């Protein structure tokens, strides 16, 4: 079963150095800032549960940086037809311990390769015309030195799985993804909701999948009317639901519905109602300026130095 109306939206990264990360995504990869904001958090729920939603509501804090965080959406175009990255930055955390769960994002962009060389950003050629590099924090990216075959250069997100067949059952049979490729010998499979969308690659590994502290989240949209059925299916199949279906209000904007799941290896998956999400995820023409202003105003490094403290490690 293929859900042609479902869309791959974004992947969430936790970042310890917002300035260096912004340089990588904007100056090396060539992405643009779509949004720079701090989410409004529903009462009684942890902030991290809702980082997949686009808000522009700013919060104030009684202490300089305790609990303060922001998020920035970056991509090659609007999320309506591009896969983007959500960069979650906690002002009091300087580093996150990586696990083996996230194995990389692959994109086709000769311009990104050129940018990396010009900026002397480390590149390592892993196969002919494909270069491995790292974003600040250690997240891997694979740059194909060619023009993108479609409007969005982002080709696939690769996640580690401990049992490929079990994961294929979950992502294909339960979530309705089409299997584009499957290689039993290499223990990998490529899935997606549409030919022109970013794909999900599942790579089998030996042992268990460790999410550590830097675990991310992948987000998709579907027609809002499908969300209750999706939640009911997961309940009937005894699959994990991290956040039951909830409606989230944004003052003056659309109310979006969300359910957050976890696959057999604990990869977090956010499904949002497509109709409302399209309104909330529109490109902000001031996105780059807002991010630059936020980074200039961020004096957290200086504040921690004056307190003779180091930022925490996640």
């Amino acid at each position: 079963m293929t859900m042609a109306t479902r869309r791959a939206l974004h992947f969430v990264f936790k970042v310890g150095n917002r300035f260096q990360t912004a340089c990588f995504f904007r100056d090396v990869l060539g992405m643009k800032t779509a949004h720079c904001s701090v989410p409004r958090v529903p009462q009684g729920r942890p902030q991290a549960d809702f980082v997949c939603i686009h808000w522009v509501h700013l919060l104030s804090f009684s202490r300089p940086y305790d609990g303060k965080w922001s998020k920035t959406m970056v991509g090659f175009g609007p999320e309506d037809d591009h896969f983007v990255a959500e960069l979650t930055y906690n002002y009091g955390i300087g580093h996150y311990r990586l696990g083996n769960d996230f194995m990389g994002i692959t994109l086709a962009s000769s311009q990104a390769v050129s940018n990396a060389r010009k900026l002397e950003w480390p590149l390592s050629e892993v196969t002919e015309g494909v270069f491995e590099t790292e974003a600040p924090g250690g997240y891997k990216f694979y740059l194909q030195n060619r023009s993108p075959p479609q409007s969005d250069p982002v080709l696939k997100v690769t996640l580690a799985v401990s049992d490929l067949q079990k994961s294929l059952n979950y992502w294909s049979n339960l979530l309705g993804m089409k299997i584009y490729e499957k290689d039993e010998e290499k223990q990998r499979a490529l899935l997606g909701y549409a030919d022109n969308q970013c794909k999900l690659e599942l790579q089998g590994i030996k042992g268990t999948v460790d999410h550590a502290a830097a675990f991310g989240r992948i987000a998709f949209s579907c027609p809002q009317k499908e969300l209750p059925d999706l939640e009911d299916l997961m309940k009937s199949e005894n699959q994990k639901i991290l956040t039951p279906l909830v409606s989230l209000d944004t003052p003056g904007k659309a109310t979006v519905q969300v359910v957050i799941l976890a696959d057999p290896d604990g990869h977090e998956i956010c499904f949002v109602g497509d109709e409302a999400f399209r309104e909330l995820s529109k490109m902000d023409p001031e996105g780059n300026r807002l991010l630059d202003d936020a980074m200039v105003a961020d004096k957290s490094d200086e504040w921690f130095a004056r307190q003779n403290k180091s930022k925490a490690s996640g």
Side-chain angles (χ1 to χ4, degrees):
M1 177 176 59
T2 300
M3 302 292 186
T5 54
R6 295 185 177 181
R7 296 189 297 127
L9 298 176
H10 60 258
F11 192 86
V12 180
F13 295 95
K14 295 177 183 176
V15 303
N17 188 310
R18 183 168 53 175
F19 179 79
Q20 291 180 2
T21 302
C23 288
F24 175 78
F25 280 92
R26 295 195 301 185
D27 300 338
V28 177
L29 298 186
M31 292 183 175
K32 297 178 181 179
T33 304
H35 301 275
C36 179
S37 62
V38 177
R40 174 188 176 205
V41 183
Q43 187 175 4
R45 301 301 304 174
Q47 291 175 342
D49 273 359
F50 296 95
V51 294
C52 65
I53 307 305
H54 298 246
W55 275 284
V56 291
H57 177 74
L58 299 180
L59 304 179
S60 59
F61 299 86
S62 58
R63 288 177 289 183
Y65 296 105
D66 288 352
K68 186 175 181 180
W69 68 294
S70 72
K71 72 179 184 67
T72 303
M73 312 300 296
V74 292
F76 290 102
E79 205 163 354
D80 277 359
D81 50 14
H82 290 76
F83 190 84
V84 307
E86 177 177 309
L87 311 177
T88 300
Y89 169 64
N90 290 277
Y91 287 71
I93 300 180
H95 180 265
Y96 292 93
R97 184 173 65 86
L98 294 176
N100 62 1
D101 53 345
F102 174 78
M103 301 188 74
I105 284 182
T106 300
L107 56 94
S109 174
S110 55
Q111 185 61 57
V113 174
S114 176
N115 293 343
R117 287 169 171 164
K118 182 178 179 180
L119 296 171
E120 298 183 348
W121 200 277
L123 289 176
S124 174
E125 191 167 19
V126 291
T127 59
E128 186 176 357
V130 179
F131 297 85
E132 178 183 306
T133 189
E134 289 186 1
Y139 302 110
K140 292 187 182 299
F141 283 75
Y142 295 91
L143 312 181
Q144 296 181 2
N145 192 15
R146 63 185 179 90
S147 299
Q150 54 194 38
S151 59
D152 185 8
V154 182
L155 303 179
K156 64 182 179 181
V157 177
T158 304
L159 300 179
V161 297
S162 60
D163 184 325
L164 181 60
Q165 191 54 49
K166 188 175 182 180
S167 294
L168 283 174
N169 177 68
Y170 182 91
W171 288 93
S172 182
N173 294 339
L174 298 184
L175 293 187
M177 277 192 162
K178 175 184 175 182
I179 299 176
Y180 283 86
E181 299 174 15
K182 183 180 178 182
D183 189 325
E184 292 281 3
E185 183 178 351
K186 295 182 178 180
Q187 281 293 288
R188 63 171 293 275
L190 191 70
L191 304 93
Y193 282 122
D195 295 353
N196 61 348
Q197 290 184 19
C198 174
K199 303 300 188 297
L200 172 67
E201 183 177 54
L202 303 177
Q203 177 62 60
I205 62 170
K206 294 181 179 179
T208 59
V209 175
D210 176 17
H211 297 278
F215 65 91
R217 175 185 293 152
I218 192 164
F220 302 90
S221 72
C222 67
Q224 182 173 306
K225 65 182 181 181
E226 293 182 9
L227 290 172
D229 291 339
L230 177 61
E231 182 180 46
D232 288 343
L233 175 62
M234 293 301 156
K235 288 179 179 177
S236 68
E237 295 289 334
N238 295 316
Q239 299 295 330
K240 185 174 292 186
I241 299 174
L242 300 178
T243 301
L245 183 60
V246 62
S247 295
L248 304 175
D249 294 324
T250 303
K253 293 184 179 289
T255 296
V256 67
Q257 290 192 325
V258 179
V259 63
I260 302 178
L261 314 172
D263 82 347
D265 287 295
H267 291 291
E268 295 191 4
I269 310 152
C270 178
F271 273 91
V272 302
D274 187 78
E275 299 87 345
F277 187 80
R278 285 182 184 271
E279 179 182 333
L280 297 181
S281 62
K282 291 178 180 177
M283 290 283 290
D284 185 345
E286 295 296 312
N288 274 322
R289 182 187 63 79
L290 290 172
L291 175 58
D292 290 336
D293 290 348
M295 291 191 295
V296 169
D298 178 6
K299 305 298 181 183
S300 59
D301 287 341
E302 294 91 327
W303 186 85
F304 278 94
R306 289 196 301 271
Q307 304 300 315
N308 292 318
K309 296 180 180 179
S310 297
K311 288 189 175 184
S313 293

